[in-house]
Amino acid sequence: MSLLPPSSVSFTLSQLQDLAAQYMLQSKIFGDHDRDFANELLIDFLGYAKSADKVAARPPEANSNTPKTINTHTSIIGPQTGNSTSGFSSVGKIISKPTRARMIKSNKVVPVQNQKSAALSVLSSSEAILHVENYNKDLDIENEKVINMDNVVQKYSDAEDGMIDTARGLLKGMKLKGAIPFSDFKTTFSTTKFQKGFYNAKEADIYSMANFTARGNHSQVAARLVNYYYHCKNPAFGTLKEQDDKDEEYLEVPNDHSAIYYQEFHFPSPLSVREAIVNIVWKRVSEKSIIIAYHPLLSHPKVENKGGASVIRGSTQLAILVTQLDDRTTEVEWGIHINFGGHLPKALVNSFVIPNTNRALNHQQAYFAYSIDLSDLNKKDGKLLGEILVYQIKSARKKGGWKMRAELGKTGVDEFLYISVAMRKLLLRFPWLRVLLHEISLNHVKGARTVSTALSDFKDHDAVNLAKGLSTIILSNTEAAAAVDHWIAQNAALEDFEKEYEWMRPFFVEIAQYNLATSNFGLQLRVFGGALLSTIDLVTDIYMTVQFLNTPGQEGYGRTNAWLIGLTMSFQILISYAQNSKKLSYFLQEMLFILIGFKPALDAYRVGSGAEQENHQHISPLQEMTFGKCVEVVFEAIPSSIVQIYALLLKKDRGIDAVASILVSASTISFTSSMISYDWDTSPTQRNMASFVYGYVPDKAWSRAVCFLSMMSLSFAHVMLQTLSCALLAVTNKTWLLYYVSGNMGLFFLYKIVRRDFYYYLNMSGGLRLFTGVLDRFIVKVLVDFTMIIHLRGSCEMGGFYFLVSILISLASSFVSSHIYSKHYEGDDKLDANTLQTILTVMSAIWITSLITFVSVINKKYLRTFYNLDTASQYSRKIVLNCREDQDEYKSGALTEHPDIYAAWGDELLKPWTLENWNRWEEEKPAWFTDAWIDNVPNHYIPYDWRVKYKKTKGRVDDPQMRRRSSLAQVKTFLGGEEER
């Protein structure tokens, strides 16, 4: 059954109750929830709560001879002037005559002069020119619609008002949490805040919802959306032939605010063709808001069943609310319900229906982005244009085989430059931009070069060298933003370019992200290089475990290794469950990757391809990858290495296979620890948020490579020295090893407790907070002692001063352990003193050489971070003080931490900031301003009026202190459950 009743059927309130109860039982969403609740939910969803009887008496499509007259406002875009109007241009500024359509006609979409290529010859063909003419005619049509929308008087029939009311109900229902079990639809461009959908396969009902922003006046946006299914689409979208072949018109245009349109959907055989008749009605609901309803009709005099029984009549209902946010931005709320008149395979829905829904959103956002003038571009526009360019390249490459990918990619670039108003203007000033984008689109890894040419003197060959540099820099970075940051810092001309055009950086980040994911060597080298090391390490550990189990007298070593491998996988599975418990299908997939040892590759791919944190997840992909690697090192790689060295020291016949396994483990540990430090330090997010800590890795490509290699060799030597040290002590006297480990760990714990910095910064309390603090401090101490991982010198982890102390203690213990072993161990299998001394000398030489190299190449101002005394609270305070006024997102992170972190300075710095900006956040709804974040904010940091509201909607209390949550509830929340209120 369909959630929305067919428009020709009348429903009483009792019948709606029956429908609601049946739906709830069939969907099994709410199990045995009572009939009244199901009724209330469905009534609210459909928007029939106040008009059920009216709906029963008056079908929406019925005509009325008693039109209603409403008075609307005088539009903000200006009064009418003949057949023209003053209004918003394509760039979002208030202008006088001529109209927007005529402006674009006067600035025709033509290729840049004196730049010839096969791609441009296609775009300037007679077919393309004809299409531009049709496109400009469409702009005239839309301009007339804008004039009508700004008319102060419009008359609506009862039937038209009914359609508008139904659209309101659909939008209202789409906003209800839990009304429908939405599953994630593939997102579109970044201006789409979300897009989700639901498909009832049994009844062939498809629901989709989205919310996105567009640049321009709300009347222009509304006119475009009203005309979307009829107008001649932009040739860049690959729909030129599709639109030119259509010989369709509106079936009827009853008045200035409505039209009737025919739709046809061609599905693969043996599925029947589906058709729909849609009445499009728009209505101004406020000075800055217009609602559009696409309402299904059962029939129309001009439509006959063209194919007889082979054509099935379906229905399309679309509700769009267009609201002006400011003088440059319009928000679009989009809700759609489609019923194709019968069951469709889910595979077809996923492969055809959803992508076409996405395409409609893509077209709208791209259209207005293409229309923005160069002088009006901002950072968000730059990100969107970068996404559109990538979309163009990918779409163009689908039009031919792999041998044509390079040239087709260039065609995609030219289509982008050819259509964008801003890019055409920019090319007149910087013609080499086209060459730059062509070369970047090839994504060939070649020798990187620093370009010293001034921006004003740039030529095509300079652009080629710049592009080669970016492709190579991508190899040394996990994040695209870090690669572009490196690229800009390395080339002075790009820094000048960014100073003039703020949109430039996010634009190239999107292109770099695509290249990183598709590079011949880039992401694949990093993913499979790291995964190969981890896999080889796992294979060698399993091999040695089997060898131990099959060797008489060494079964204990084998069992220990097996327990370590199992313990590591168990911790990784626990982390994966905590991350994905809200979607068990994701968790089961992750668990499979963990069990086959391929999780490191999956994590590296997600970070490298720019995957964002999903709604059901608790931490970002970078954090998840870091946690997973740390668990692998602490609970498997390090102890397994110690066990293998211990077993090797007790053998007279020391085989090469055991030595190889130890070296592979040390290499994997050093690579992992160095990559964690490198990724965090080169992350633009971390550098922007805490520039006083992150930034020691230099910007020059060669210096970065030397820095990373020196970190890796330094870590390798440190791993070998420390694992050998522990094994030597264990062989000599296990009790002495226990004394050393517990004394070293206890000293660190005491240091943190004395400084009141023992508890971790995460917002937990009670037993969970204590458990997390102990576990984190233990893991951090082990990692620093054995791997010298530089990232953990941070104030929230070990701290710079104690990081230095731990390194010195670790180095000293290596030589002390060697001395104790040489003096006190008397076994027949004792390692020769000269051999032991040679190993220590070689490792020490590598350690010292690597340290000198590392110190010589890093940015020297960060040396102080290796011995600073800041606590986590002082570190968080510095972040808040260093944030600019436009960096609310970074400041907001302080309030996700435990209140103890900001207790001493929160009232001074955070409280004035939240009280001053809360109203603005409620209006703008930034991405970080979520219910979860608000729940972390102390009540006295929230304005009184909002505190009263939250008491009702969020279960808040008047106590100025935050509500205490039980440890059990926190564990449940941490593992992905919902905390009971």
Side-chain angles (χ1 to χ4, degrees), residues 571 574 635 749 758-760 764-779 967 971 974:
F571 270 104
L574 180 62
F635 294 103
F749 275 40
F758 178 77
Y759 287 115
Y760 207 44
M764 300 174 180
S765 61
L768 183 59
R769 189 184 185 200
L770 177 62
F771 171 78
T772 305
V774 172
L775 180 63
D776 176 78
R777 300 312 179 195
F778 173 79
I779 291 176
S967 296
V971 171
F974 180 71

Side-chain angles (χ1 to χ4, degrees), residues 402-659:
W402 67 270
K403 291 183 178 180
M404 303 173 60
R405 281 176 56 85
E407 288 305 314
L408 289 174
K410 292 181 180 180
T411 299
V413 171
D414 285 339
E415 287 175 342
F416 171 80
L417 297 174
Y418 173 82
I419 293 165
S420 169
V421 172
M423 293 301 108
R424 292 203 308 274
K425 184 175 290 187
L426 187 65
L427 278 172
L428 294 176
R429 183 178 178 190
F430 303 121
W432 49 265
L433 180 65
R434 179 168 173 261
V435 177
L436 175 68
L437 294 177
H438 276 184
E439 191 68 28
I440 291 177
S441 72
L442 296 177
N443 203 15
H444 292 163
V445 177
K446 300 178 181 179
R449 300 179 184 177
T450 299
V451 180
S452 58
T453 308
L455 183 63
S456 58
D457 298 327
F458 242 61
K459 304 297 180 185
D460 285 358
H461 68 274
D462 297 310
V464 171
N465 289 332
L466 267 185
K468 291 178 180 178
L470 178 59
S471 299
T472 307
I473 288 170
I474 285 174
L475 289 177
S476 61
N477 289 275
T478 302
E479 295 181 280
V484 172
D485 185 69
H486 180 188
W487 186 50
I488 294 174
Q490 180 173 295
N491 298 280
L494 291 175
E495 291 183 331
D496 294 338
F497 194 99
E498 185 181 23
K499 289 178 183 178
E500 187 169 357
Y501 300 110
E502 64 173 357
W503 55 267
M504 170 264 201
R505 181 184 293 262
F507 174 77
F508 281 106
V509 165
E510 293 304 317
I511 305 171
Q513 190 68 70
Y514 174 64
N515 281 6
L516 181 62
T518 59
S519 172
N520 297 334
F521 300 104
L523 180 60
Q524 291 86 340
L525 178 64
R526 293 182 60 110
V527 170
F528 294 109
L532 182 62
L533 277 176
S534 295
T535 304
I536 292 175
D537 184 31
L538 180 62
V539 169
T540 56
D541 286 345
I542 294 174
Y543 171 77
M544 290 306 301
T545 300
V546 173
Q547 288 288 91
F548 286 143
L549 291 173
N550 292 331
T551 303
Q554 295 189 341
E555 295 87 347
Y557 306 142
R559 287 192 293 270
T560 302
N561 260 1
W563 273 103
L564 292 172
I565 294 172
L567 182 65
T568 301
M569 289 187 172
S570 298
F571 270 104
Q572 289 178 335
I573 289 173
L574 180 62
I575 292 173
S576 178
Y577 177 73
Q579 177 78 323
N580 301 288
S581 59
K582 294 182 180 179
K583 284 200 172 181
L584 290 180
S585 59
Y586 278 62
F587 164 65
L588 294 175
Q589 294 174 10
E590 296 278 305
M591 187 170 67
L592 176 62
F593 281 111
I594 292 171
L595 294 176
I596 65 176
F598 206 67
K599 186 65 163 61
L602 182 64
D603 287 341
Y605 175 79
R606 285 173 177 163
V607 174
S609 60
E612 297 182 356
Q613 182 177 334
E614 301 286 345
N615 291 333
H616 69 276
Q617 296 176 332
H618 299 281
I619 54 179
S620 68
L622 179 60
Q623 289 174 309
E624 183 182 7
M625 181 179 72
T626 302
F627 288 163
K629 286 180 176 180
C630 289
V631 165
E632 181 183 346
V633 170
V634 170
F635 294 103
E636 190 272 324
I638 290 175
S640 179
S641 297
I642 294 174
V643 169
Q644 292 182 50
I645 295 175
Y646 177 86
L648 187 65
L649 290 173
L650 294 178
K651 289 176 63 177
K652 292 183 179 180
D653 183 19
R654 299 180 174 93
I656 190 66
D657 53 350
V659 175

Side-chain angles (χ1 to χ4, degrees), residues 897-910:
E897 299 171 352
H898 193 279
D900 283 354
I901 297 296
Y902 55 84
W905 49 268
D907 286 358
E908 172 197 353
L909 298 179
L910 294 177

